[in-house]
């Protein structure tokens, strides 16, 4: 046998070597078979982690239900978006990429188009959940590559989709363009705020209202970010504030402000004129221990979160308690130090369940029927 024959037809161990092209073909075939088998296993296992719906209603029978628990979300997978077969296979082989799970959800806003905006003081970011299109976005840059949000505690969205984020450490309001999440301007000057907290957008007047807990005041800004008025001072009388925090605006344009250390919610007109109040210090229903988020539904019901007693109380416009829902715990429908609340056009209620690291969704079913 010639030297050339030995190099091409044999090996040192005396076994015949298959041509390199044949080996590659066999390896490719085995890889495809393995991928198909893995894909089958992944698809079979994919349904095991789906959340099972828990039915909870308030009040308890025999009273007719007024509030229904719907679901919760805490990371982008809860949008229900389907992943492609290749991505699922790669994740099965090499591990799933880290997803931005909520750490400390705080404030909430909705835009009437199925999107929910959540500030996260733990992650120092804003989560944007677009449920109709099953897409997720995140905002965390103040200056790209150089500075980021520190303590985002307030969130609002205007009619054009512009996103306003209040940061209590940076004491600024950052305005972002919705599609590319690009910072377009900043509201607030050096020394203007001591501790910026809640914000709310008045669509009829095109004003942004910002609560300054440190100065016990509320400032209104025009679309260009110029201050157009301020109201409030520290005190306990009607119209005075003592460490205010959260704010919302109803369909009539009235402002509802959580007057936290006066243990109440005060109501003002857009110019800051006192219109009413509800709540008081106490440990019984109808009173507050740690009032936080406030929201108003389409029928004028006022929802107030109590962070210490882990419940949401519902009042009418006159300040009379109607009912409450939620209790301390980790089950679906329970709370652990909840904070913000928002209500969309379909009367869906979103509550930032802060220390359970999730947002819970409830449905307001309507007024209970009479006896």
């Amino acid at each position: 046998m010639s030297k050339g024959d030995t190099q091409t037809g044999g090996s040192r161990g005396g076994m015949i070597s298959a041509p390199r092209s044949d080996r590659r073909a066999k390896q490719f075939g085995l890889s495809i078979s393995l991928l198909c088998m893995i894909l089958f296993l992944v698809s079979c296992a994919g349904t095991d982690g789906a959340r099972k719906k828990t039915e909870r209603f308030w009040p308890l029978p025999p009273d007719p239900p007024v509030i229904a628990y719907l679901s919760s979300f805490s990371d982008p997978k809860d949008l229900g978006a389907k992943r492609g077969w290749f991505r699922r296979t790669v994740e099965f082989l090499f591990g799933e990429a880290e997803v931005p799970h909520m750490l400390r959800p705080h404030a909430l806003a909705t835009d009437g188009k199925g999107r929910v905006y959540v500030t996260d003081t733990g992650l120092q970011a804003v989560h944007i959940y677009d449920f109709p299109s099953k897409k997720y976005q995140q905002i965390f840059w103040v200056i790209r590559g150089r500075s980021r949000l520190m303590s985002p505690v307030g969130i609002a969205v205007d009619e054009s989709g512009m996103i306003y984020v209040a940061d209590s450490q940076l004491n600024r309001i950052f305005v972002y363009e919705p599609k590319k999440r690009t910072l377009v301007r900043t509201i607030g000057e050096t020394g203007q705020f001591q501790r910026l907290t809640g914000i709310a957008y008045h669509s009829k007047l095109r004003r942004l209202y910002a609560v300054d807990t440190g100065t016990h005041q509320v400032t209104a800004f025009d679309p260009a970010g110029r201050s157009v008025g301020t109201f409030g001072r520290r005190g306990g009388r009607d119209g005075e504030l003592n460490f205010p925090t959260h704010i919302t605006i109803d369909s009539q344009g009235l402002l509802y402000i959580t007057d936290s250390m006066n243990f109440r919610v005060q109501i003002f007109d857009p110019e800051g004129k006192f219109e009413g109040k509800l709540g008081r210090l106490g440990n019984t229903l109808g009173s507050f221990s740690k009032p936080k988020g406030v929201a108003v539904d389409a029928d004028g019901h006022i929802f107030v979160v109590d962070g210490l007693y882990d419940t949401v109380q519902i009042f009418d416009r006159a300040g009379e308690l109607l009912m409450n829902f939620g209790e301390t715990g980790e089950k679906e429908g329970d709370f652990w130090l909840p904070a913000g609340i928002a209500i969309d056009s379909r009367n869906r209620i979103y509550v930032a369940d802060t220390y359970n690291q999730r947002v819970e969704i409830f449905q307001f079913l309507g007024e209970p029927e009479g006896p």
Side-chain angles (χ1 to χ4, degrees):
M1 185 178 291
S2 67
K3 184 176 180 181
D5 292 338
T6 303
Q7 289 178 338
T8 57
S11 65
R12 290 183 180 178
M15 297 180 65
I16 303 298
S17 298
R20 186 174 298 176
S21 58
D22 292 342
R23 292 201 306 269
R24 286 181 175 174
K26 290 181 179 179
Q27 290 172 354
F28 180 76
L30 289 173
S31 298
I32 292 296
S33 300
L34 178 61
L35 287 175
C36 291
M37 181 180 68
I38 292 173
L39 179 59
F40 173 76
L41 293 174
V42 171
S43 62
C44 291
T47 56
D48 292 340
R51 296 188 179 186
K52 295 181 179 180
K53 181 177 175 60
T54 299
E55 291 189 354
R56 294 190 68 179
F57 300 93
W58 293 265
L60 297 175
D63 295 322
V66 177
I67 301 291
Y69 170 80
L70 296 183
S71 62
S72 68
F73 60 94
S74 57
D75 65 50
K77 290 185 293 185
D78 295 327
L79 285 167
K82 294 183 179 179
R83 296 167 294 169
W85 70 269
F86 180 77
R87 180 178 174 183
R88 283 182 286 158
T89 302
V90 170
E91 289 178 354
F92 185 88
L93 288 172
F94 303 106
E96 187 173 358
E98 184 178 355
V99 294
H101 192 286
M102 291 182 190
L103 293 181
R104 291 290 183 268
H106 185 83
L108 298 162
T110 62
D111 63 2
K113 298 179 180 179
R115 288 185 285 263
V116 182
Y117 304 78
V118 187
T119 68
D120 189 332
T121 57
L123 197 62
Q124 297 177 309
V126 175
H127 307 273
I128 305 173
Y129 286 79
D130 188 336
F131 285 93
S133 62
K134 297 183 179 181
K135 293 182 179 179
Y136 171 85
Q137 290 181 305
Q138 188 182 123
I139 295 173
F140 56 89
W141 288 115
V142 174
I143 303 174
R144 182 167 294 278
R146 293 169 52 193
S147 181
R148 61 176 297 155
L149 294 167
M150 297 296 294
S151 179
V153 295
I155 186 82
V157 183
D158 68 16
E159 65 278 346
S160 64
M162 300 296 283
I163 305 165
Y164 302 81
V165 181
D167 192 299
S168 64
Q169 287 193 30
L170 299 176
N171 277 322
R172 295 287 192 279
I173 299 171
F174 301 99
V175 188
Y176 296 89
E177 185 274 335
K179 291 185 179 179
K180 297 182 179 179
R181 297 161 291 147
T182 305
L183 181 66
V184 295
R185 66 177 178 275
T186 302
I187 299 176
E189 302 175 356
T190 301
Q192 182 172 3
F193 301 113
Q194 288 188 17
R195 189 187 171 197
L196 182 63
T197 49
I199 56 175
Y201 182 77
H202 197 302
S203 58
K204 293 180 180 179
L205 298 178
R206 298 190 65 203
R207 289 183 185 175
L208 182 73
Y209 289 85
V211 176
D212 188 346
T213 302
T215 62
H216 317 280
Q217 291 182 327
V218 179
T219 301
F221 296 91
D222 67 12
R226 295 184 294 260
S227 175
V228 295
T230 301
F231 67 90
R233 63 178 182 180
R234 189 173 188 180
R237 294 181 296 182
D238 292 348
E240 295 179 338
L241 300 167
N242 191 17
F243 294 99
T245 54
H246 297 73
I247 180 173
T248 194
I249 301 174
D250 70 9
S251 59
Q252 304 302 313
L254 292 174
L255 281 60
Y256 298 74
I257 299 172
T258 303
D259 189 10
S260 65
M261 295 309 294
N262 282 325
F263 306 96
R264 63 187 179 183
V265 170
Q266 292 201 75
I267 307 170
F268 298 87
D269 74 4
E271 306 306 319
K273 177 185 175 184
F274 173 78
E275 294 286 343
K277 61 184 178 181
L278 58 94
R280 60 189 183 279
L281 173 63
N283 57 4
T284 58
L285 291 176
S287 60
F288 300 123
S289 179
K290 196 171 186 178
K292 289 194 171 184
V294 57
V296 184
D297 70 11
D299 298 314
H301 303 109
I302 306 162
F303 295 68
V304 186
V305 175
D306 194 307
L308 185 61
Y309 290 107
D310 300 317
T311 193
V312 177
Q313 300 189 66
I314 308 175
F315 299 83
D316 63 17
R317 180 64 175 78
E320 294 296 323
L321 176 70
L322 300 176
M323 62 170 291
N324 74 300
F325 65 93
E327 60 185 81
T328 303
E330 300 178 2
K331 302 190 305 294
E332 290 87 349
D334 290 345
F335 301 123
W336 185 12
L337 294 178
I341 185 171
I343 303 175
D344 67 15
S345 58
R346 296 181 296 173
N347 273 346
R348 288 194 171 184
I349 308 156
Y350 302 84
V351 180
D353 189 10
T354 303
Y355 277 77
N356 279 324
Q357 300 181 321
R358 64 190 178 188
V359 172
E360 297 200 274
I361 310 174
F362 303 84
Q363 180 69 58
F364 183 76
L365 302 175
E367 298 285 354
E369 299 178 358

